[in-house]
Amino acid sequence: MLRLSKLTDYAVVVLVRLDAGTQVQTSPCIAATTGIPEPTVAKVLKSLSAAALVTSQRGARGGYRLARPLEDIPVGEVIAAMDGPITLAACVDGSVTECESLALCPVRGRWDPVNEAIQRALSAISLADMREAAIPAVFRVPPDADLVRVPRNAELGHSNASR
Amino acid sequence: MLRLSKLTDYAVVVLVRLDAGTQVQTSPCIAATTGIPEPTVAKVLKSLSAAALVTSQRGARGGYRLARPLEDIPVGEVIAAMDGPITLAACVDGSVTECESLALCPVRGRWDPVNEAIQRALSAISLADMREAAIPAVFRVPPDADLVRVPRNAELGHSNASR
DNA sequence: GGTAACCGGACCGTGTCAGTCCTGATTGAG
DNA sequence: CTCAATCAGGACTGACACGGTCCGGTTACC
């Protein structure tokens, strides 16, 4: 279904959440305000930090902060940070590992225009666009909710219900 | 990595192969000329037939035929036929199963513009575009190769070598 | 009637992913 | 100086989807 991983979905939520407030935010805090389990939030933030989409501050009173405003983060970059480079087919990216039956492989490079089209589409949409997209005001996060300090195990029961 | 399934890749190969010649082509024949294992080709063709991208003729001397010229088949339709509807996130399609923590779920509808952009990109590219895209002449299939009748087990060793 | 081909399933091994946990390294506060 | 809070970077595991195969049944041509 061409679906992207759930981690990428979380990453967008986390990044939008991180946009509220200029203070650094800790991963337990973000977990509490988004409803995503804390270890998962930590994992997402680590990946985002590795991709230089957020900056981290270690130690006590540390946390995470957006490296750039949401307007400057295309959604394609988030996907690439979480799921790796965007390549539809196997024979597309730099790894020219040569399909074994080379004389018969008719796939070679065939998906390139499709990949480019998707890349373009994903580069044209920024997280700021997604932030405001079709979300009722009820779901908007209050801009100062990041200031609440919550204890470690404040779980909100976001364990998936659909299985 | 936003990768599409290998079956979809095969589907494009099979459809392009099916474009050569006006005769119906059997799945063993297509398997032999493309190097894809025969049962897999059969599975792909069944899905394509269910999606009305190819028409089938049963019985002896039966086979498959393109339902439309390649120019009229956008690649997005092939992906939808093989992998189901194109939806990036879980909360997007018609199944409004309401994320459990509804008041906190900030994802709702957020991916819609991204989905639409991708849909547009995939609708704009037809299989005819992919047929000619960046393929050295060596890999082009000869237009009359479909006439050869091959025995059932003519395998070409297309089992993946990279593992 | 026999044979060749499609039809519609069921079936299973494998790989990937979501999610958790653990052990360090770092830094501010007391 | 010591301690606690926080990030860093792994390893690990269970669940699930996917690729691939196979089988019995049906249809149509010779």
Side-chain angles (χ1 to χ4, degrees):
Chain A
M1 311 169 196
L2 204 65
R3 77 151 53 97
L4 47 79
S5 72
K6 208 181 286 189
L7 273 299
T8 308
D9 201 351
Y10 291 157
V12 173
V13 175
V14 167
L15 285 170
V16 170
R17 187 73 201 79
L18 218 44
D19 179 53
T22 56
Q23 295 277 22
V24 294
Q25 301 183 40
T26 70
S27 54
C29 166
I30 297 178
T33 54
T34 56
I36 306 172
E38 195 271 332
T40 304
V41 171
K43 189 178 197 172
V44 167
L45 281 169
K46 275 180 253 184
S47 299
L48 293 177
S49 174
L53 288 174
V54 301
T55 60
S56 65
Q57 172 142 9
R58 306 180 63 161
R61 295 281 155 184
Y64 292 95
R65 188 196 314 264
L66 280 183
R68 282 175 271 163
L70 289 189
E71 287 77 13
D72 296 345
I73 304 180
V75 63
E77 201 164 332
V78 181
I79 296 177
M82 301 303 299
D83 287 359
I86 299 171
T87 57
L88 285 188
C91 284
V92 174
D93 61 344
S95 72
V96 199
T97 15
E98 300 291 334
C99 315
E100 58 299 334
S101 63
L102 190 132
L104 282 173
C105 172
V107 200
R108 191 140 216 75
R110 212 184 275 277
W111 289 96
D112 283 347
V114 181
N115 269 302
E116 289 167 16
I118 289 188
Q119 298 268 16
R120 255 194 313 272
L122 293 181
S123 301
I125 301 180
S126 77
L127 288 189
D129 298 326
M130 300 183 69
R131 176 181 48 190
E132 304 298 341
I135 303 178
V138 196
F139 298 140
R140 304 269 169 77
V141 283
D144 55 341
D146 57 320
L147 299 179
V148 298
R149 286 270 164 185
V150 292
R152 201 55 179 255
N153 290 340
E155 207 45 74
L156 292 183
H158 193 279
S159 58
N160 37 17
S162 62
R163 74 176 63 152
Chain B
M1 313 165 196
L2 205 63
R3 75 151 56 97
L4 48 80
S5 71
K6 208 181 285 189
L7 273 299
T8 307
D9 200 350
Y10 290 158
V12 173
V13 175
V14 166
L15 285 170
V16 170
R17 188 71 200 80
L18 219 45
D19 180 53
T22 56
Q23 296 276 21
V24 295
Q25 301 183 40
T26 71
S27 55
C29 166
I30 297 178
T33 54
T34 57
I36 305 171
E38 195 272 332
T40 304
V41 171
K43 188 177 198 172
V44 167
L45 282 170
K46 275 182 255 183
S47 300
L48 292 177
S49 175
L53 288 173
V54 301
T55 60
S56 64
Q57 172 145 7
R58 303 181 65 162
R61 295 283 154 185
Y64 292 95
R65 188 196 313 264
L66 279 182
R68 280 175 272 163
L70 289 189
E71 286 77 12
D72 296 343
I73 303 180
V75 62
E77 200 165 332
V78 181
I79 296 177
M82 302 303 298
D83 288 358
I86 299 173
T87 58
L88 284 189
C91 285
V92 175
D93 61 345
S95 72
V96 198
T97 15
E98 300 291 334
C99 315
E100 59 298 333
S101 64
L102 188 132
L104 283 173
C105 172
V107 200
R108 192 139 214 76
R110 212 184 276 277
W111 288 95
D112 282 348
V114 182
N115 270 303
E116 290 166 15
I118 289 187
Q119 298 268 17
R120 254 194 315 273
L122 293 181
S123 301
I125 301 180
S126 77
L127 288 189
D129 298 327
M130 298 182 71
R131 176 181 46 191
E132 304 298 341
I135 304 178
V138 196
F139 298 141
R140 303 268 170 79
V141 284
D144 55 340
D146 58 320
L147 300 179
V148 297
R149 288 269 164 184
V150 291
R152 200 53 178 256
N153 290 339
E155 206 44 75
L156 292 180
H158 194 277
S159 58
N160 38 16
S162 62
R163 71 181 59 154

